[in-house]
């Protein structure tokens, strides 16, 4: 099986997701600026995977800091953290991971610098290990919600490629299958970046999970024909009220699901929940380069100079969300209470 | 300006829409089998344009029939009509045009065969001329429904390229602009065949109409941001109850429009209305080759061997349709009465 992101011999190794499914290429980063560029350019994507990559980027940057005391170290550390935090605005896991690394640095300021650097590398590795374990828990909780047999629609890729491994939305599907349920999957191709056709179809096929690829525009048709029993998606940021920012197009899928009385589940770790943001309208939405819409695999598909909008995410209002599946259990309406409660469980 | 389909020197000339916007290539067909293949392979597409192309294909096939009497002619004519009718199942304009040509043949069976052949060519040319005039009327009726200034979302291409010229949905936009209104357009790219990015964006830019390209998955985001004032689409077949078969993804757009209280207009000629079909569920929906989903411009974007669904159309239930704009005026609910009434006006 592939590894999405890995700490290996003092470097960060990531599968280049831009080249999938055509080629399985691993890129090695020995410099935090390279990791930042890789996040920005979507070598790695998916909220939890971005978090892990950012933590490793921080560890990598920290390990190269030439400083004799904590004060000097801290100044350089802030530059590293700042650059990594500037890569992508929507997925909150990025900021969560950088904050966790910063906290560990602050808490261990008494250590000799070489020890502190080791401690930060250990923390990044722990974030990586934790993420896989968290996904398995999401999978167990969420797997119970799916009927057997059933067909699940997913949008974008919230799989092993979007996390340290196993996946959130695809973790729920894997959890159900591991519990002995018969699950088939419909994958939206997810324009413009095609995470569904390039990544979800690829990793599910690798896992021998029954997957059928459709364009985003076909989800409504499939629901109307009674072919979809549930929708499961991941999330890039969940507001305190349960509004969910996720890959562009998720909102349409949620609306279609409600129209067809199909449950719409969101699977995400606690690190995706941002209690500081009250309402989905306040979640910053990244707008990416127009070439993602006008070109596919380097080929132009639209006229020269055409105006383009390219928001990478949308917000699904909480009334459309049947349940949010986390590593600490399943939360339903009212989300304000339920989501807050999760953080007290620990 | 370009010509979508044209009768020229005893042949049918069509712009190859598969190559747009990269190249403007005109193909010449001197054989009805070539025209049938061109319709099937989507050299020409769009319900009214398919109707015109089929009529010209019939005229072309008929003109080559070696028969001395009407009985022998009729037998060969049936083969020509049969092949052209087998090309695509959903757009009813195809069958409408072939029936009109067959009726003209039957009504003129007393003519000498060479005269009959000329008569059929004249009828095909008249269908072509009529279509442009019909679209201009649709544009005048529909243009009145749009506010100024306003931004209109359209899906697929129901423009000059989908008709003999001017367009149905884009005809409404052109009609509004000709009436002095300020109209901007958002165009869904319309996967899998990309009629929006390749064709709608191209012809609107040629016409200097303000167009912004988005992926199909972004329509909901734009509506939620208040950027869309109305939706106008074409149709491939309208059932007697007002259910509308149109390009896959239209249903999602209609549902989003209702959620955001945005009017959803369908623009189509009477030849698209099929009173023999009571309900949209009875409209045959074409399923096309999986390579349209797995490849773009010859490049593979999905893993080898992945299962695919590729329905080319979906049905929008009539409660989601604010009004149907035809050459004989605008029809609103209840559609059963209103649509039937159109055919009595003539």
């Amino acid at each position: 099986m592939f590894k999405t992101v890995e700490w290996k011999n003092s470097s960060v190794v990531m599968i280049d997701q831009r080249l999938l499914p055509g080629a399985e290429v691993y890129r090695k980063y020995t410099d935090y600026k390279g990791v930042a560029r890789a996040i920005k350019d979507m070598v790695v994507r998916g909220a939890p995977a971005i978090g892990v990559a950012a933590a490793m980027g921080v560890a990598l940057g920290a390990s190269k800091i030439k400083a004799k005391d904590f004060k000097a170290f801290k100044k350089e550390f802030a530059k590293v953290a700042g650059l990594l935090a500037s890569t992508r605005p929507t997925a909150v896991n990025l900021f969560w991971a950088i904050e966790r690394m910063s906290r560990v640095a602050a808490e261990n300021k008494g250590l000799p610098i070489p020890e502190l650097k080791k401690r930060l590398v250990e923390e990044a590795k722990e974030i990586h290990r934790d993420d896989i374990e968290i996904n398995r828990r999401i999978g167990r909780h969420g797997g119970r919600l799916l009927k057997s047999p059933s067909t699940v629609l997913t949008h974008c890729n919230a799989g092993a490629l979007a996390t340290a491994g196993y996946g959130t939305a695809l973790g729920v599907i894997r959890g159900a299958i591991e519990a002995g349920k018969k699950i088939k999957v419909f994958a939206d191709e997810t324009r413009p970046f095609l995470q569904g056709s390039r990544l979800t179809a690829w990793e599910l096929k690798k896992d021998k999970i029954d997957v059928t690829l459709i364009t985003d525009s076909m989800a409504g048709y499939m629901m109307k024909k009674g072919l979809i029993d549930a929708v499961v998606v991941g999330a890039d940021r969940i507001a305190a009220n349960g509004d969910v920012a996720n890959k562009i197009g998720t909102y349409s899928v949620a609306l279609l699901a409600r129209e067809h009385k199909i449950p719409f589940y969101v699977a995400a770790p606690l690190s995706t929940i941002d209690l500081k943001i009250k309402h989905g309208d306040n979640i910053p939405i990244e707008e990416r380069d127009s070439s993602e819409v006008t070109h596919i695999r380097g080929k132009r598909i639209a006229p020269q100079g055409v105006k383009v909008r390219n928001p990478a995410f949308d917000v699904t209002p909480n009334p459309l969300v049947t349940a949010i599946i986390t590593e600490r259990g399943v939360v339903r309406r009212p989300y304000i209470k339920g989501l807050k409660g999760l953080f007290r469980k620990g």
Side-chain angles (χ1 to χ4, degrees), chain A:
Chain A
M1 205 60 182
F2 59 90
K3 295 237 170 88
T4 304
V5 50
E6 197 182 5
W7 183 270
K8 209 170 170 179
N9 305 327
S10 308
S11 65
V12 182
V13 176
M14 295 190 271
I15 189 167
D16 190 339
Q17 302 198 24
R18 299 168 307 178
L19 304 180
L20 289 171
E24 205 172 322
V25 173
Y26 291 85
R27 301 205 182 275
K28 186 178 169 181
Y29 299 91
T30 54
D31 165 23
Y32 80 95
K33 288 180 183 168
V35 175
R37 171 56 59 187
I39 294 171
K40 209 178 174 77
D41 291 349
M42 293 171 77
V43 169
V44 64
R45 29 63 52 200
I50 287 174
V52 173
M56 289 185 176
V58 169
L60 194 60
S63 69
K64 304 272 172 85
I65 291 172
K66 288 182 179 65
K68 294 264 158 59
D69 57 40
F70 186 76
K71 202 184 155 190
F73 180 88
K74 197 182 162 185
K75 204 178 148 190
E76 292 304 308
F77 185 93
K79 275 190 207 164
V80 171
L83 182 74
L84 284 156
S86 73
T87 51
R88 299 196 65 192
T90 305
V92 74
N93 313 60
L94 177 80
F95 309 105
W96 169 88
I98 294 168
E99 272 165 35
R100 180 162 154 181
M101 294 297 285
S102 302
R103 201 166 54 241
V104 166
E107 283 167 4
N108 291 278
K109 64 179 176 184
L111 287 180
I113 300 296
E115 292 303 309
L116 176 57
K117 289 176 176 177
K118 275 189 202 161
R119 180 67 191 81
L120 286 165
V121 170
E122 283 314 310
E123 189 69 16
K125 286 170 151 180
E126 194 177 313
I127 288 176
H128 183 270
R129 280 191 304 271
D130 281 0
D131 190 59
I132 298 175
E133 179 51 32
I134 284 167
N135 289 336
R136 291 193 170 274
R137 282 187 201 155
I138 289 173
R140 281 194 293 274
H141 291 305
R144 289 187 202 115
L145 300 175
L146 301 181
K147 293 194 179 110
S148 180
S150 68
T151 301
V152 176
L153 173 70
T154 190
H155 188 75
C156 196
N157 173 270
L161 284 165
T163 60
Y166 201 75
T168 52
L170 299 193
V172 168
I173 287 162
R174 291 189 167 101
I177 290 170
E178 284 174 21
K181 295 183 180 181
K182 289 198 198 323
I183 309 288
K184 292 183 178 182
V185 180
F186 269 72
D188 277 351
E189 66 170 5
T190 318
R191 281 282 290 151
F193 211 66
L194 296 168
Q195 291 92 337
S197 50
R198 297 192 305 101
L199 310 179
T200 296
W202 182 77
E203 73 163 269
L204 290 180
K205 264 184 74 74
K206 263 201 178 228
D207 248 11
K208 304 205 188 315
I209 295 172
D210 187 313
V211 57
T212 300
L213 178 64
I214 57 173
T215 65
D216 307 325
S217 54
M218 293 172 193
Y221 178 96
M222 298 303 157
M223 289 187 191
K224 209 152 169 259
K225 292 281 174 192
L227 298 175
I228 309 293
D229 302 302
V231 177
V232 187
V233 297
D236 289 82
R237 193 183 304 213
I238 299 174
N241 70 344
D243 289 353
V244 174
N246 191 46
K247 181 51 53 195
I248 190 77
T250 302
Y251 170 46
S252 301
V253 177
L255 199 62
L256 284 163
R258 185 187 65 186
E259 179 74 5
H260 294 279
K261 299 182 174 44
I262 294 166
F264 178 87
Y265 299 119
V266 175
L270 263 66
S271 54
T272 302
I273 301 167
D274 187 355
L275 294 183
K276 292 196 297 290
I277 297 240
K278 285 199 164 62
H279 190 283
D281 286 353
N282 300 330
I283 298 173
I285 300 295
E286 177 183 14
E287 185 122 358
R288 294 184 59 84
D289 195 80
S290 63
S291 63
E292 289 183 359
V293 175
T294 56
H295 291 69
I296 294 181
R297 299 251 151 179
K299 292 235 181 187
R300 171 172 284 281
I301 52 164
Q304 291 269 3
V306 69
K307 279 199 286 187
V308 168
R309 287 292 307 270
N310 185 18
F313 307 94
D314 60 25
V315 172
T316 297
N318 67 74
L320 298 180
V321 179
T322 308
I324 296 172
I325 305 160
T326 76
E327 67 270 35
R328 291 190 184 160
V330 175
V331 177
R332 292 177 190 266
R333 275 183 294 274
Y335 288 111
I336 293 181
K337 205 182 145 199
L339 293 177
K340 213 171 169 186
L342 287 175
F343 290 86
R344 281 194 293 260
K345 282 191 184 174

